């Protein structure tokens, strides 16, 4: 995957998240397991926990530290939000080269 391919991949993910948010939907479960790379394009998958922004559940208080969960959600201080989706997408994108190094051999 070249640096231009990487940019397209990330832009696809950001566009997908922007589309969900523009429809008033938050994903609430963005993590590397829910990001798909296919033909050098990026897709956000598994909308099973997605909900409307105004119907976002208050998160449970986590006993384990999960790096893909926004800090305010992890501590149970805030409902899921567009901001927590953005945090989780950015963190997932930063970790992707380490999770799937075979895609970055070029």
């Amino acid at each position: 995957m070249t640096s231009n391919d990487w940019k397209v991949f990330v832009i696809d993910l950001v566009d997908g998240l922007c589309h969900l948010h523009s429809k008033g939907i938050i994903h609430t479960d963005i993590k590397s397991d829910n990001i798909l790379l296919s033909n050098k394009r990026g897709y956000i998958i598994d909308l099973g926990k997605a909900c409307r922004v105004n119907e976002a559940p208050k998160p449970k208080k986590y006993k384990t530290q999960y790096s893909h969960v926004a800090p305010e959600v992890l501590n149970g201080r805030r409902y899921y939000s567009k901001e927590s989706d953005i945090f989780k997408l950015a963190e997932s994108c930063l970790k992707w080269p380490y999770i799937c190094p075979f895609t970055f051999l070029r």
Side-chain angles (χ1 to χ4, degrees):
M1 181 176 252
T2 66
S3 60
N4 278 344
D5 294 338
W6 173 247
K7 289 175 192 173
V8 170
F9 171 70
V10 172
I11 289 170
D12 286 344
L13 297 176
V14 171
D15 284 347
L17 189 59
C18 285
H19 178 74
L20 284 174
H21 289 175
S22 74
K23 301 294 184 188
I25 298 169
I26 53 176
H27 190 282
T28 75
D29 194 29
I30 294 177
K31 56 187 174 189
S32 58
D33 291 348
N34 292 337
I35 294 174
L36 178 66
L37 172 64
S38 178
N39 297 321
K40 299 182 181 180
R41 301 305 303 248
Y43 302 92
I44 297 172
I45 61 172
D46 190 2
L47 299 173
K49 293 184 179 178
C51 63
R52 295 237 169 246
V53 174
N54 58 349
E55 298 169 357
K58 186 166 169 73
K60 64 181 181 182
K61 188 145 185 158
Y62 290 90
K63 294 178 183 173
T64 305
Q65 184 79 14
Y66 294 103
S67 61
H68 66 273
V69 179
E72 66 273 15
V73 174
L74 188 65
N75 296 327
R77 292 188 311 229
R78 232 179 124 190
Y79 291 89
Y80 288 102
S81 63
K82 291 179 182 181
E83 292 82 3
S84 62
D85 271 358
I86 293 166
F87 174 90
K88 293 186 289 184
L89 180 61
E91 186 159 55
S92 295
C93 286
L94 289 172
K95 288 183 177 183
W96 192 272
Y98 303 102
I99 295 169
C100 299
F102 62 89
T103 60
F104 296 91
L105 295 177
R106 286 193 201 172

